[in-house]
Each structure stands twice: as C-alpha cells, then as structure tokens.
Amino acid sequence: MKPLRPLAYRRDDGGLHRALMQAAQHYLAANGDHRFADGGMLAKVALLLALCGLCYRLSLQQQNGWAFFACYFGFIFIGMFLTVNVVHDASHNAFFRRPWANRWLNALVSVPLGLDPDCWRVRHVLFHHAHNNIEHYDPDIDANGVLRQTPFQRWRPFMRAQRYYWPLVAALTFPYYIWLFDWLDRAGRTRVAARMAQQGVRGWCGFLAGKAAHLLLALAIPCWLLPPAIGIGQILLVYLLSQMLSSLLFVMLIIGTHWAKANFYQAPAQGAMPHGWYHHVFATTFDWLTRPRWLGYWLGGANLHLTHHLFPHWSHRHYPALSRIIGEVAPRFGIDYRLLELEELLRLQQRFLSAMGRKPQ
C-alpha cells in the first residue's frame, strides 16, 4: 500500500501545552503520585480477570442454550472491559513503566476478546491519535461503502437510513477486526504492517499464538466440553452475538465522541494542517459524564476521551483530575471545554449520522 504523506501541525499552541503540562505535573507532585497504574488498578484488572474466568467456567457447566448464552456473553463482555481498561492504557505504555511489561499484559488480556494487541496498537496509537478525523489518515473513519462517516466520502442512496442501521455496522466492528483486518494487517496488505513492533517470522508466531489461544478458549473448549444439547452451531452463534453486542458498546463509547463533534478534515496539499495539534483535538473530540460518576472508572475512562487524547500516556485513573485541569486551563486560551451528558452525546451522534446520510448538494 502506498504510504501517506507525513502531516505536520502548526506550532501555535505552545502556551496551552506548557500550561496543561505544568498543571498536570503540579497535580502529581501535590499528591506524591505518578502517571502509571497503581495498586488499585492492578486490583481492578485482577477482579476483571477473575470475573471473566468465572463467567467462562459457568458457561461450560450449562445444560441449556439460554443459560449458556448468559454466562458466555458475560465472558466476552468482561473481555471487552479488559480491552477498554487494560489494552487501551498498556498500548500507550501507560499501565506499567516498562514497555515490555505492557506488551506482555496486552498479550494476556487480549485472549478472551481475540483482538491482536499489536495491530490494534498501531491503528489506535500511531494512526488514530496522530490524525483523528483526518480523511485517509485515521483508520477509524476509513470509507467502508456502508456507513458515510465524513463529508468527503461517497454517498449512496441507502445511506439515508444509516442513522437507523449504524448499530449493526458498529456491532460488526469486532468480528471484522478479529477475523479480517488483523489478518490483512499482519499479511502486509495495509499500512499498519510496517509499524508493528514485531516483524517477520517472530511477528507471525506471536500473532498466530494469540489467535490460536483465542480459538482454543472461546470455541474449541466449549465445543468439546458442552453437552450435545448445545450444538456447535449454537456455540458459534452465541460467540458471534456476544462479540457484536460488546462491539456496539465499544464503538458507541470511543468513536462516537468523534462523530459528535462532527469536524472532519482532508490532508492539505502541502502536508501542513491549518491549526495546532491541541486545537485539533478540541475540534474533534468530546468528554462526557457518566451517571453515576463511578461508572466512568469501570469504563476505563472512555467517557473522558478528549482528556485521553491530550494525556494518552497517563493511566485512566487520573482522567477525572485531568479533566478538571483542562476545564480550568482551556478557557484561558479561548477554548471552550464542555462535558456532555450521555443523552446529548447520543443526540449529537444521531444528528451527525443523519447529516452524513443526506444527499450532498
């Protein structure tokens, strides 16, 4: 695949950068803290792993399809929470201090859901974070022929209804990533391959080991141990539905914050964006509040997505404090920082999808 031309941002937000970093460092110093995970985060991961294992064990003990679905969905659903809480931080080297420890943690907690952590790291950290909402540069908004996500993509008549069918597209994201895009990335058919940490035979061995572990855990063992009343077809269906429901929530929480802002860009011909990187983040991303507030902790801070983009190398346990810092600093530089309610976020998402579904004039 032809490499994309490097993009550069204007250097017009140095003052904002310094103010945010100084305030963040003062916050750490005042609390005698660091930006990585702490004992509470390790306990949370241990609890999620234990719950994931419990749901999996219970699923293997069921005698009827509905009980199996309930337990198995819990296994995959908590696997998604492990991705949000652990893989998201560890991919940014924000969980442990040492990069190798983050890689090994990612390899472990990615097995239940099945996403390849190296592929996801390149897509999310190296491409999405550097170029969010920029056509052809941000893989999260790549044209797919089904959902029109930017005003620069081709419109088709059936897209008038995309605000109604978008949940199905969002639900298919995990299955497509796990069983298509990961393989295309590893095979060198996308721009992701060249940026992976592991290349060649070593990269393929790690990739195949992860996929084999997921297949063994998620499908082979249930097919072997479950009674004949729960057939292979039923197991496959439950597997797919569990991944789809988990995918829907993940996409709504992560990508939906960029849809809500509804600002998208094309790469300038000279390769220089018309604004600074910090201004770009504020123009393309929202933070939103969870009700109750503690729910944001279990969502891995995914609701404070603008905060995550400004402080990607910080553990999400700091996001509430960093969000308050942003709210204090940003207005001094003429930037409006808003915390949305969930209802407003969903309304803005629907407005955006409706606008993209209308025939361009």
Side-chain angles (χ1 to χ4, degrees):
M1 176 173 287
K2 183 180 178 181
L4 296 172
R5 179 178 62 253
L7 293 181
Y9 292 90
R10 288 179 58 183
R11 298 180 178 275
D12 61 356
D13 47 17
L16 174 59
H17 167 74
R18 287 189 294 273
L20 285 173
M21 294 304 108
Q22 288 172 2
Q25 291 302 321
H26 176 75
Y27 152 74
L28 286 182
N31 291 278
D33 206 346
H34 53 77
R35 61 182 176 86
F36 302 98
D38 61 358
M41 289 291 295
L42 291 173
K44 178 165 72 165
V45 174
L47 177 60
L48 288 173
L49 285 170
L51 290 173
C52 189
L54 176 63
C55 288
Y56 181 71
R57 181 176 178 180
L58 289 174
S59 72
L60 299 179
Q61 298 173 347
Q62 302 309 311
Q63 302 296 315
N64 70 79
W66 286 110
F68 168 67
F69 173 74
C71 296
Y72 191 91
F73 173 69
F75 158 63
I76 295 291
F77 191 69
I78 297 173
M80 183 274 293
F81 270 84
L82 283 166
T83 297
V84 171
N85 280 274
V86 182
V87 177
H88 206 182
D89 277 11
S91 294
H92 289 279
N93 289 324
F95 201 93
F96 293 124
R97 295 176 184 271
R98 299 185 181 277
W100 66 263
N102 288 300
R103 288 196 299 271
W104 278 103
L105 180 63
N106 267 354
L108 171 65
V109 301
S110 295
V111 170
L113 192 61
L115 285 170
D116 180 77
D118 199 14
C119 295
W120 192 83
R121 179 189 65 84
V122 175
R123 292 192 206 107
H124 179 74
V125 178
L126 301 184
F127 289 136
H128 170 68
H129 266 259
H131 311 111
N132 60 296
N133 285 25
I134 300 178
E135 186 78 5
H136 303 305
Y137 284 77
D138 182 356
D140 285 357
I141 59 167
D142 279 346
N144 54 37
V146 179
L147 203 66
R148 186 168 179 254
Q149 299 186 78
T150 80
F152 316 115
Q153 294 174 359
R154 179 183 175 185
W155 177 85
R156 294 175 172 85
F158 65 82
M159 291 176 176
R160 291 190 180 96
Q162 70 174 21
R163 66 188 176 117
Y164 302 111
Y165 67 72
W166 81 266
L168 178 61
V169 180
L172 289 170
T173 299
F174 278 170
Y176 267 95
Y177 271 39
I178 293 165
W179 297 113
L180 179 60
F181 295 144
D182 279 355
W183 292 85
L184 293 176
D185 290 345
R186 178 51 67 182
R189 301 295 297 275
T190 71
R191 61 184 183 271
V192 170
R195 307 294 297 276
M196 288 181 177
Q198 302 294 336
Q199 300 286 336
V201 174
R202 186 174 181 180
W204 270 107
C205 287
F207 176 82
L208 293 174
K211 294 298 184 185
H214 173 67
L215 271 175
L216 178 66
L217 184 70
L219 291 173
I221 292 177
C223 288
W224 178 38
L225 294 181
L226 285 167
I230 304 176
I232 294 176
Q234 192 170 0
I235 293 172
L236 290 172
L237 178 62
V238 168
Y239 169 80
L240 178 61
L241 289 175
S242 298
Q243 284 199 337
M244 289 176 65
L245 290 171
S246 300
S247 178
L248 174 60
L249 177 62
F250 182 87
V251 171
M252 182 181 70
L253 295 179
I254 301 290
I255 300 178
T257 62
H258 299 295
W259 286 352
K261 214 60 179 272
N263 291 321
F264 296 86
Y265 302 89
Q266 287 182 304
Q270 293 77 24
M273 296 296 291
H275 49 237
W277 180 79
Y278 280 84
H279 286 78
H280 184 81
V281 172
F282 278 99
T284 55
T285 316
F286 267 124
D287 280 350
W288 57 276
L289 289 169
T290 57
R291 302 290 185 193
R293 290 289 186 97
W294 56 261
L295 185 60
Y297 177 77
W298 291 101
L299 290 175
N303 60 303
L304 299 177
H305 202 55
L306 184 148
T307 300
H308 167 64
H309 270 260
L310 293 181
F311 294 92
H313 304 300
W314 289 57
S315 168
H316 68 263
R317 68 187 178 92
H318 294 296
Y319 288 178
L322 292 173
S323 174
R324 291 191 290 271
I325 289 172
I326 295 168
E328 295 168 359
V329 171
R332 305 205 311 253
F333 293 85
I335 295 176
D336 179 34
Y337 172 68
R338 293 177 58 205
L339 270 168
L340 300 182
E341 296 288 341
L342 178 59
E343 295 78 7
E344 186 176 5
L345 175 73
L346 297 177
R347 180 179 59 80
L348 290 173
Q349 288 180 17
Q350 282 293 301
R351 187 170 73 180
F352 161 73
L353 289 166
S354 297
M356 291 297 99
R358 288 193 288 269
K359 184 177 181 180
Q361 298 300 317

